[in-house]
Amino acid sequence: MTNAKQTLRIVVADDHPLVLTAISDYLTRTPGCTVVGTADSGAHLLDVLRRTPCDLLVTDFSMQGELQDEDGLRLIARLRRLYPDLPVVVFTMLTNVGILHELAELGVAGLVGKDEPIPVLAEVCQRALAEPGTTLSARVAERLAPGNADAAEFRRSHPLSPRELEVVRLFALGLNVTEISQRLNRSVTTVATQKRAAMRKLNLDSNADLIRYASENGFA
């Protein structure tokens, strides 16, 4: 990934211990790389970054920590604000085109699906350090390609705002409105309004419909 004179310092974050270990071990074995820190939640990640200089962050998108912890778009936006020069590669199980689009808009260095092998993640990391813009893995690129039906529909309608996307994602994970308000640091009234707005835009009438929509459209 880098020349022999400079070791690439990497921080890795994931809330699944086996995934965190597998990625850290693979990157540590990659010539020219060393994992200098790991984290299993958004709060833990922010603490590690405050204490640990690094050249690259590889992080999961959805990390279920404490209710007032951060993950998702809110965490990535905060990381980009606090560390604008730190390349961030995001790997995620989510396939929702709207969320992937928002991540690219936030300026992440790379996007990789968790359904892809770890060597693909390492390859995207290498490319992300050398290429401008957001480097996409093959499967993420396919999902965002103009010919993809979901991507075409997103470009045509783009119904949900980033804040509404986050509310729908967390609701699909089983959090209620009060818990979502704690996670996103918004009032219960604001979250309830955003949830209703999302359902109205999507022409959905019930919570069951919203959960079904989220499942069918890659929110979880």
Side-chain angles (χ1 to χ4, degrees):
M1 281 190 183
T2 186
N3 59 55
K5 296 180 180 179
Q6 181 180 0
T7 299
L8 186 70
R9 301 166 300 177
I10 306 172
V11 168
V12 180
D14 194 288
D15 63 340
H16 294 281
L18 292 178
V19 175
L20 182 62
T21 298
I23 292 174
S24 300
D25 287 351
Y26 186 91
L27 293 176
T28 296
R29 293 196 303 269
T30 301
C33 297
T34 182
V35 174
V36 294
T38 61
D40 59 6
S41 71
H44 189 192
L45 173 58
L46 291 169
D47 183 57
V48 169
L49 291 175
R50 280 191 291 267
R51 297 182 287 102
T52 312
C54 64
D55 308 302
L56 176 68
L57 168 61
V58 179
T59 180
D60 193 1
F61 177 75
S62 182
M63 293 188 286
Q64 300 305 300
E66 300 296 326
L67 277 181
Q68 294 183 331
D69 203 351
E70 293 185 5
D71 73 340
L73 293 173
R74 179 179 171 86
L75 175 62
I76 300 302
R78 185 173 182 185
L79 290 168
R80 297 292 298 132
R81 185 172 64 253
L82 292 174
Y83 306 99
D85 298 324
L86 176 64
V88 178
V89 173
V90 177
F91 57 108
T92 177
M93 286 296 295
L94 276 67
T95 61
N96 180 263
V97 172
I99 290 176
L100 295 175
H101 174 83
E102 291 300 330
L103 284 169
E105 287 290 301
L106 285 171
V108 300
L111 281 172
V112 186
K114 272 194 171 182
D115 55 347
E116 300 177 86
I118 292 178
V120 172
L121 172 62
E123 186 262 339
V124 168
C125 289
Q126 182 177 20
R127 288 170 51 204
L129 292 171
E131 300 175 359
T134 301
T135 300
L136 307 178
S137 67
R139 291 184 185 172
V140 173
E142 182 180 358
R143 289 172 186 131
L144 293 178
N148 180 285
D150 291 336
E153 175 61 26
F154 171 79
R155 291 182 175 87
R156 187 162 51 248
S157 59
H158 191 18
L160 302 185
S161 70
R163 292 193 171 198
E164 291 163 352
L165 285 167
E166 281 289 80
V167 168
V168 172
R169 178 180 72 87
L170 293 173
F171 188 77
L173 289 174
L175 278 67
N176 60 36
V177 169
T178 300
E179 292 169 334
I180 294 172
S181 73
Q182 293 173 341
R183 174 65 62 88
L184 299 178
N185 195 26
R186 302 173 197 167
S187 71
V188 172
T189 301
T190 297
V191 170
T193 299
Q194 291 166 342
K195 176 174 169 285
R196 286 196 301 270
M199 293 176 68
R200 184 177 64 252
K201 290 178 181 180
L202 297 170
N203 296 313
L204 302 174
D205 297 322
S206 69
N207 288 340
D209 290 337
L210 183 59
I211 292 172
R212 187 179 305 110
Y213 171 87
S215 176
E216 292 174 351
N217 287 272
F219 279 85

